[in-house]
């Protein structure tokens, strides 16, 4: 008999919100903690990518993740630029701080996994505490996303391929 489920670790961020329909409500209803990964959507919400950014061979962003192919990449960058402007003008914050604060303000989010590879990538964390996004800002964020990315792509490209005899979930 399997043991009880205590945590789930789904990808979740401003651009990949599919878990809001089923995973988050299920976890909340059943007392399951969520450990969110990919809060900056592979750098799209990091505030550093540009149309000229080149990714090394083997990087998920160089041909595997469809968000990084045109015309999608430009749409996501435009949304990120407008979100960055909102963060700076309304809160005096950076885009990563806004993206993480948004996650912390979502019902059902227990913890966020921050995959820093350099010490400087930790600097933004100090700016996520001591404030929250009000309802008007949440609505503005949704409007920005709808305007630039009306059909967001899920992270399903990361799912393992289906194998013969094993049904897809």
């Amino acid at each position: 008999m399997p043991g009880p489920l205590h945590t789930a670790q789904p990808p979740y961020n401003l651009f990949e919100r599919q878990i809001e329909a089923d995973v988050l409500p299920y976890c909340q209803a059943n007392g399951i903690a969520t450990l969110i990964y990919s809060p900056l959507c592979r750098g799209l919400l990091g505030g550093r990518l540009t149309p000229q950014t080149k990714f090394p061979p083997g990087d998920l962003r160089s041909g595997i993740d469809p968000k990084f192919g045109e015309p999608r990449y430009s749409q996501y960058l435009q949304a990120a630029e407008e979100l960055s402007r909102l963060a700076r003008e309304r809160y005096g914050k950076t885009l990563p701080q806004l993206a993480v604060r948004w996650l912390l303000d979502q019902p059902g989010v227990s913890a966020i996994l921050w995959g820093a590879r350099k010490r400087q990538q930790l600097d933004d964390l100090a700016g996520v505490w001591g404030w929250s996004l009000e309802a008007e800002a949440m609505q503005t964020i949704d409007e920005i996303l709808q305007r630039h990315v009306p059909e967001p792509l899920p992270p399903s490209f990361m799912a393992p391929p289906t194998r013969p005899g094993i049904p897809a979930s």
Side-chain angles (χ1 to χ4, degrees):
M1 180 168 153
L5 182 63
H6 295 288
T7 64
Q9 188 177 330
Y12 186 41
N13 55 64
L14 282 164
F15 293 145
E16 296 172 329
R17 297 172 61 174
Q18 293 74 18
I19 69 165
E20 292 174 348
D22 49 15
V23 174
L24 280 178
Y26 180 86
C27 288
Q28 278 188 282
N30 292 282
I32 299 168
T34 56
L35 307 176
I36 302 304
Y37 78 89
S38 195
L40 301 183
C41 196
R42 286 163 298 292
L44 284 172
L45 295 163
R48 293 188 176 100
L49 299 181
T50 71
Q52 293 75 36
T53 301
K54 301 287 184 221
F55 303 104
D59 189 305
L60 286 176
R61 299 170 293 185
S62 66
I64 298 170
D65 186 338
K67 286 177 212 57
F68 292 86
E70 290 299 345
R72 294 290 191 152
Y73 185 51
S74 292
Q75 294 169 342
Y76 283 100
L77 288 180
Q78 289 168 0
E81 184 178 320
E82 195 168 340
L83 290 166
S84 181
R85 190 168 35 256
L86 171 73
R88 186 176 54 256
E89 292 174 1
R90 188 176 287 195
Y91 299 104
K93 302 292 182 180
T94 65
L95 176 57
Q97 290 167 339
L98 176 81
V100 172
R101 182 73 254 167
W102 180 87
L103 282 169
L104 291 170
D105 289 346
Q106 298 306 306
V109 171
S110 305
I112 299 168
L113 303 175
W114 186 269
R117 292 188 179 129
K118 300 174 186 166
R119 194 205 66 74
Q120 301 92 312
Q121 293 172 320
L122 296 172
D123 293 341
D124 276 321
L125 287 178
V128 302
W129 310 114
W131 63 289
S132 289
L133 295 165
E134 67 277 355
E136 179 189 341
M138 292 288 204
Q139 182 177 346
T140 300
I141 288 168
D142 287 345
E143 290 167 359
I144 291 169
L145 296 174
Q146 183 59 41
R147 184 168 42 256
H148 294 289
V149 190
E151 295 178 20
L153 296 172
S156 57
F157 75 93
M158 294 172 60
T162 56
R163 294 183 290 178
I166 299 175
S169 51

